[in-house]
Structures are given as C-alpha cells and as structure tokens.
Amino acid sequence: MQYGAALLLVQLVVGCSDGKAPENIVAGANNAAAPVNEATPAADTKLVVAYGDSLFAGYGLESGEGFAPVLEKALIARGVKARVMNGAVSGETTGDGRERLAFTLDGLPRKPNLVILGLGGNDMLRGLDPKATRANLDAILAELKRRDIATMMTGMLASPNMGPDYASAFNSIYPDLAKAYGVKLYPFFLDGVIGHADLQLPDGIHPNAKGIDIVVAKVAPVVVGELDD
C-alpha cells in the first residue's frame, strides 16, 4: 500500500505540473529560515525539533496548523509536557539539511530531547542519486549521535516510475540507516493522506489542516514512545 501511495504521489505531481515534476513540490517554494529561536522551554518540558522540508514546515497553512504546532497539542493532550519547535525549511533537500544542521542545533535554546528527521522527498522527485541522499542522511544522523541527541525518522518512498533500480536504492535508505543508528522509523510521512483530495492542498501533495491532523494522529504515539524511552 505504501509503495502504491508513492506511485500516486508522483502521478499527482505530474498531473499538476504539465508532465514535469516541480523541483520543490514536496518542500514547497518558501525558502525562509526555520523559526527555531523561540524562548527556552521550562526544564520539565520536553523539547522536540521537527527537522525537515515543507511537509514539516506547514507550507500553505495558517499559523498553528502545521505539523509542529499540531504535534505539540497532540503530545500535551496525551499527558506529555512538550514544546515542538519548527526546525523545517521549505525547498530543502537532504544536502541542504546537512549544510544547516549545526547552525540550527547551535541556535536552539537548549539540547532537544528528540529530533524528528524528515528529509528526502525532494531528492527523489528530482531524481538525485540515492547514494548522495544516503550519505547526507547518514551525516545528519552521525552528527546528532555525536551530540547525543535522540532521533527518529519519517520516511519517503520512491515512485516505481523512477525504475526498479532507483526504487531499490532509495527505499532501502531509511530502514538501513534507522537500523544502523538504532533510531525509530515512521516509514511514510504521508500515509493516510496522499490520494485523498479532501486532506490535501490544491497542489495535490501537501496536507491541508485536516491532513495534518491525520498525520499527527499516526505519528504522535510514536513520538510519545520515543520521549518515554
């Protein structure tokens, strides 16, 4: 089902772009810096950083409707006192995320209890070499491990249209790295949303407010488990 959803993802991309996949369709077109310079959370508050592209950044949504603020509310509703900071940048590839990682972490008010890493969708849609995607994500995870920061990943899947060799190389990146670094993997961020027009923005890719609610309902229990650990 997840593999079929990835195929549908690219079909929708092509359908809204005259046959050519826009370079930043997953990461959006807004390259503003991630707003991580928020007030220092209380000592008894878990600090979570959502580090990814526009799927995390709330592209096309009103303030308070994006992944980070909705996840924060969901965690609090589950009895977890938490602050979820939006460390995502629209228009980003894994290479971009690798380049700005140290700057982002150094700009945080304190060491986070958890980083949620969600990058790679743009790499796939641009047809970037999966070896480069793997190397970039590996470097990000290595730096987070070096800083002793707990991490979980949200994955993306390659479209079969990319060919079996590309799909094999790309799809194995997330489970391989999750296993290598001992981090939790949520396999497909858009699970339950892609293909449902009522849960997406008009671009046919990004979740709308209802779509984000669906995503968070699935991801929040995993985050709670990681924070408990």
mmCIF file of all heavy atoms in Angstrom, residues 22 135 171:
data_model
loop_
_atom_site.group_PDB
_atom_site.id
_atom_site.type_symbol
_atom_site.label_atom_id
_atom_site.label_comp_id
_atom_site.label_asym_id
_atom_site.label_seq_id
_atom_site.Cartn_x
_atom_site.Cartn_y
_atom_site.Cartn_z
ATOM 1 N N PRO A 22 7.812 19.482 -10.493
ATOM 2 C CA PRO A 22 8.497 20.668 -9.990
ATOM 3 C C PRO A 22 9.602 20.266 -9.022
ATOM 4 O O PRO A 22 9.446 19.321 -8.255
ATOM 5 C CB PRO A 22 7.385 21.444 -9.267
ATOM 6 C CG PRO A 22 6.106 20.877 -9.784
ATOM 7 C CD PRO A 22 6.390 19.469 -10.151
ATOM 8 N N ALA A 135 24.163 9.360 1.887
ATOM 9 C CA ALA A 135 25.329 9.961 2.535
ATOM 10 C C ALA A 135 24.929 11.185 3.362
ATOM 11 O O ALA A 135 25.446 11.391 4.465
ATOM 12 C CB ALA A 135 26.371 10.338 1.493
ATOM 13 N N ASN A 171 14.537 3.308 -1.532
ATOM 14 C CA ASN A 171 13.655 2.808 -0.472
ATOM 15 C C ASN A 171 14.407 2.152 0.669
ATOM 16 O O ASN A 171 13.911 2.102 1.800
ATOM 17 C CB ASN A 171 12.642 1.819 -1.055
ATOM 18 C CG ASN A 171 11.637 2.483 -1.964
ATOM 19 O OD1 ASN A 171 11.540 3.706 -2.016
ATOM 20 N ND2 ASN A 171 10.881 1.681 -2.698
#
